[in-house]
Amino acid sequence: MRVWDKMTGSGSEEEGPVPTHRVLVTGATGLLGRAVCKEFENNGWLVIGTGYRRARPRLLRCDLTDEDAVRGLLQEYKPEVVVHCAAERRPDVVERHTEAAVNLNVHATGTLAREAAVCGAFFLYISTDYVFDGRNPPYGEDDSPNPLNLYGRSKLEGERETLRHSPGAVVLRVPVLFGEVESVSESAVTTLWLKVQEATESCTLDHCQQRFPTDARDVAAVCRKLSERGRQDPSIRGIFHFSGKEQMTKYETAVAIAQAFNLPSNHLIPLTEQPAASALRPINSQLNCSRLELLNLSVTPRPFTSAITDCLWPFTPDKRWRQTVFH
């Protein structure tokens, strides 16, 4: 990760030409934020990543709910693009800690959008398929949102704040994500690895709610393409959808993971009643992604089996598993 050095006007620890374009990525310690940072950096951008609770070396620590701190950050680093990944994305946590979640998902988003507009930065806000109720999929960008839970409502309010304060901004709605996780519990998809490995005990998993697991690396590539085009083309604004194409329930996802690793799956039991949870989830909030595709701003999603193998093999008991399977 390179951080802008204001004194020398260069990025640290890099030789060769200095990147000319600067992107600020919020939530850079999270699953999507890390992927976005890597994608931009690999394509010649200078990346300024922010974190808060999990801030680490070479990232800036910033409380996004502090308006003065956000204003100072953007005025100091003057990014050309801001990709806002930071959010409270766990629906059950939002139900329990609503005020903190709304501060981050709504108020901080409004502040960032406003300050990005002031400094002339292109603003990209990550939203969710949970803005829809799941009763009439697939959903296009112009379909009416009707979130079932507080998480979906908070992200929808974040969308409205984004477009109110920064009319040239882009909102990118995505479904459940997985990717290169630091722990398997970091994603609702990779956490199923724990269930797959519990082969000695039967385990019930939801077989009602249809999901479209999406690789964070693919989302990151879409963010970069939108940003690069959006800086040049003012018609790139408003709401876009991006999603993986493979539809599966939690049960089917776990079975697919087991098959990818040649592990048994007969201990996994499909549960065909709605599971009890503090936050209601939509049954099927499939996104129609044709707007991105028509503008040639999409990417072909990685096949789930190879993507999940990529992400989970470091958590296999024998890290040499990869060689034994593929060679």
Side-chain angles (χ1 to χ4, degrees):
M1 181 73 62
R2 285 164 288 174
V3 174
W4 186 247
D5 184 333
K6 301 184 301 304
M7 300 301 292
T8 63
S10 67
S12 62
E13 67 170 60
E14 287 287 314
E15 294 181 1
V18 175
T20 52
H21 300 307
R22 295 187 297 286
V23 58
L24 175 74
V25 181
T26 72
T29 54
L31 174 65
L32 179 58
R34 295 194 307 269
V36 169
C37 287
K38 190 181 286 188
E39 172 71 24
F40 274 87
E41 196 163 60
N42 288 346
N43 284 275
W45 285 69
L46 189 138
V47 176
I48 303 142
T50 78
Y52 186 53
R53 284 189 310 262
R54 294 187 289 175
R56 57 192 73 183
R58 299 202 302 277
L59 289 181
L60 301 174
R61 184 182 174 89
C62 181
D63 177 0
L64 298 177
T65 64
D66 179 338
E67 292 190 21
D68 291 337
V70 170
R71 186 176 302 115
L73 182 71
L74 268 75
Q75 287 175 356
E76 189 173 345
Y77 289 95
K78 296 181 173 55
E80 286 136 284
V81 170
V82 176
V83 182
H84 181 29
C85 300
E88 177 48 74
R89 56 174 181 74
R90 296 164 295 178
D92 295 334
V93 173
V94 176
E95 301 283 335
R96 292 196 303 271
H97 303 287
T98 307
E99 187 180 352
V102 167
N103 276 339
L104 181 57
N105 292 1
V106 182
H107 303 319
T109 300
T111 303
L112 277 159
R114 185 179 66 240
E115 296 305 326
V118 167
C119 75
F122 177 79
F123 188 71
L124 195 161
Y125 169 67
I126 302 295
S127 190
T128 173
D129 59 336
Y130 275 28
V131 298
F132 297 111
D133 59 21
R135 296 189 183 104
N136 192 25
Y139 291 95
E141 289 86 355
D142 296 329
D143 286 327
S144 295
N146 182 33
L148 296 179
N149 57 40
L150 286 173
Y151 165 65
R153 287 207 287 280
S154 73
K155 293 299 286 182
L156 180 60
E157 285 301 313
E159 291 184 8
R160 290 170 177 160
E161 287 289 286
T162 291
L163 298 173
R164 183 162 73 90
H165 289 292
S166 187
V170 159
V171 168
L172 180 64
R173 293 176 181 150
V174 296
V176 63
L177 302 182
F178 67 97
E180 296 177 326
V181 290
E182 293 182 339
S183 74
V184 292
S185 60
E186 198 176 8
S187 155
V189 177
T190 53
T191 197
L192 294 171
W193 178 241
L194 303 171
K195 308 287 189 189
V196 168
Q197 289 187 303
E198 289 171 5
T200 53
E201 289 179 37
S202 65
C203 171
T204 57
L205 288 166
D206 173 56
H207 193 40
C208 290
Q209 294 164 6
Q210 302 299 321
R211 295 290 175 258
F212 294 81
T214 300
D215 193 320
R217 294 170 293 182
D218 294 336
V219 177
V222 169
C223 288
R224 178 183 58 81
K225 292 174 82 165
L226 276 165
S227 299
E228 289 176 346
R229 181 88 71 85
R231 286 183 61 251
Q232 313 296 333
D233 181 352
S235 74
I236 304 299
R237 57 191 287 179
I239 299 169
F240 290 84
H241 290 171
F242 179 73
S243 171
K245 303 281 191 226
E246 295 169 77
Q247 177 174 323
M248 50 185 91
T249 62
K250 210 171 249 193
Y251 164 73
E252 289 168 330
T253 307
V255 169
I257 291 171
Q259 289 171 345
F261 287 89
N262 299 318
L263 292 171
S265 61
N266 50 2
H267 65 294
L268 303 171
I269 315 294
L271 182 68
T272 52
E273 298 165 5
Q274 278 274 37
S278 57
L280 274 176
R281 268 80 162 168
I283 285 287
N284 185 350
S285 48
Q286 180 181 8
L287 298 173
N288 176 331
C289 306
S290 56
R291 186 181 181 203
L292 267 183
E293 290 158 8
L294 287 168
L295 290 164
N296 199 29
L297 288 167
S298 194
V299 299
T300 303
R302 298 158 201 252
F304 180 76
T305 299
S306 59
I308 201 69
T309 303
D310 235 14
C311 301
L312 285 176
W313 78 265
F315 300 95
T316 54
D318 179 0
K319 305 294 189 301
R320 289 169 302 154
W321 173 90
R322 209 172 201 197
Q323 285 91 351
T324 63
V325 170
F326 290 112
H327 298 291

